[in-house]
């Protein structure tokens, strides 16, 4: 993305050590619900910092003349409904039947809203995330043939993102026909553990799950 001049970003999460004896990897192996702060920084046409410390989400834009971050997105709230899906459709042939069914439905305007959804997928996670935080919709990187556990890493992508999404009124779950599992409740077993994450507007996520449930 850097070579092509596309936006890039940084994602971060902050945890408390559970004991003074913990160090290194052991201290990091915590559920996302134990996060105390999370955020991302988007580097593009502007430098934007979005952060939560557990009391909502606020966004700041860097004023390069003053050398200060200015509050430009106070109390960010994800719309309950969007009209956009952020999925890499190059992998669609190996998605689960439920995911494929939902995508077909909303592309044709046959979903619950009757509106034809559009696709955005920049291949830059933070850029897609920021667009979703502002306009709503659903981002997903479900399991596929190349990534049977999904692509996003739980500890340093999934958990910070899920914390922000929930603080902004959205939903972040693991995409599975067994029912929505809250990402922040997952116990990490490996440092680089991957999960098939789906997050975004609450009502859109619920509609997607009606398609996943039909897989059984």
């Amino acid at each position: 993305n850097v070579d092509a001049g596309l936006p890039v970003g940084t994602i971060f999460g902050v945890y408390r050590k559970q004991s003074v004896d913990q160090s290194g990897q052991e201290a990091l192996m915590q559920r996302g619900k134990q996060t105390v702060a999370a955020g991302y920084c988007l580097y593009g046409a502007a430098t934007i910092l979005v952060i939560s410390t557990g009391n909502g989400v606020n966004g700041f834009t860097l004023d390069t003349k003053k050398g200060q971050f200015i509050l430009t997105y106070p109390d960010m709230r994800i719309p309950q409904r969007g009209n956009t899906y952020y999925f890499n459709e190059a992998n669609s042939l190996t998605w689960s039947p439920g995911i494929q069914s939902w995508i077909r439905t909303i592309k044709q305007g046959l979903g619950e809203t009757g509106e034809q959804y559009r696709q955005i997928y920049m291949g830059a996670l933070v850029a897609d995330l920021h667009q979703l935080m502002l306009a709503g919709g659903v981002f997903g990187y479900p399991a596929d043939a190349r990534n049977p556990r999904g692509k996003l890493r739980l500890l340093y992508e999934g958990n910070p993102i899920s914390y922000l999404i929930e603080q902004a009124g959205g939903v972040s779950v693991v995409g599975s026909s067994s029912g929505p599992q809250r990402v922040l409740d997952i116990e990490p077993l490996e440092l680089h553990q991957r999960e098939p994450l789906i997050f975004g507007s609450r009502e859109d996520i619920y509609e997607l799950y009606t398609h996943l449930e039909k897989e059984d």
Side-chain angles (χ1 to χ4, degrees):
N1 283 8
V2 174
D3 291 345
L6 298 176
V8 294
T10 302
I11 302 169
F12 63 90
V14 180
Y15 301 86
R16 286 192 179 92
K17 291 178 67 173
Q18 298 303 299
S19 74
V20 294
D21 298 325
Q22 283 186 325
S23 62
Q25 182 172 329
E26 181 186 8
L28 296 175
M29 302 295 285
Q30 299 186 43
R31 289 183 173 91
K33 64 184 179 182
Q34 294 169 286
T35 303
V36 295
Y40 61 81
C41 199
L42 176 63
Y43 317 107
T47 300
I48 298 171
L49 172 66
V50 174
I51 189 169
S52 174
T53 56
N55 188 28
V57 182
N58 291 287
F60 304 81
T61 301
L62 178 63
D63 184 324
T64 56
K65 292 183 178 180
K66 294 181 178 179
Q68 297 177 343
F69 279 95
I70 308 300
L71 178 63
T72 48
Y73 302 97
D75 191 24
M76 298 175 73
R77 303 294 295 175
I78 298 172
Q80 296 297 292
R81 279 280 188 185
N83 62 359
T84 306
Y85 64 101
Y86 307 79
F87 282 66
N88 182 2
E89 285 204 75
N91 301 322
S92 62
L93 293 179
T94 58
W95 288 340
S96 71
I99 296 288
Q100 293 186 35
S101 170
W102 177 73
I103 293 288
R104 284 195 306 270
T105 299
I106 60 172
K107 283 172 67 174
Q108 297 176 73
L110 300 176
E112 293 177 359
T113 67
E115 183 176 1
Q116 186 175 15
Y117 280 43
R118 60 177 182 158
Q119 184 206 24
I120 294 177
Y121 187 76
M122 287 180 269
L125 176 58
V126 174
D128 285 327
L129 170 60
H130 188 63
Q131 172 79 7
L132 184 148
M133 292 285 288
L134 297 176
V138 178
F139 180 99
Y141 212 110
D144 57 49
R146 289 185 300 175
N147 302 285
R149 288 295 305 167
K151 187 176 180 181
L152 300 185
R153 277 67 61 97
L154 175 66
L155 284 175
Y156 43 90
E157 292 174 322
N159 281 343
I161 289 172
S162 299
Y163 183 83
L164 288 168
I165 292 291
E166 289 197 5
Q167 285 290 319
V171 174
S172 183
V173 294
V174 169
S176 168
S177 61
S178 61
Q181 180 182 11
R182 182 180 180 231
V183 172
L184 295 181
D185 288 336
I186 299 174
E187 182 176 1
L189 303 176
E190 301 174 5
L191 182 61
H192 304 296
Q193 179 174 330
R194 299 176 188 266
E195 295 291 344
L197 267 61
I198 295 174
F199 56 82
S201 296
R202 183 174 299 273
E203 296 301 322
D204 286 320
I205 297 286
Y206 291 163
E207 180 180 354
L208 186 158
Y209 259 90
T210 65
H211 290 260
L212 287 175
E213 289 167 355
K214 294 175 183 177
E215 292 181 4
D216 295 333

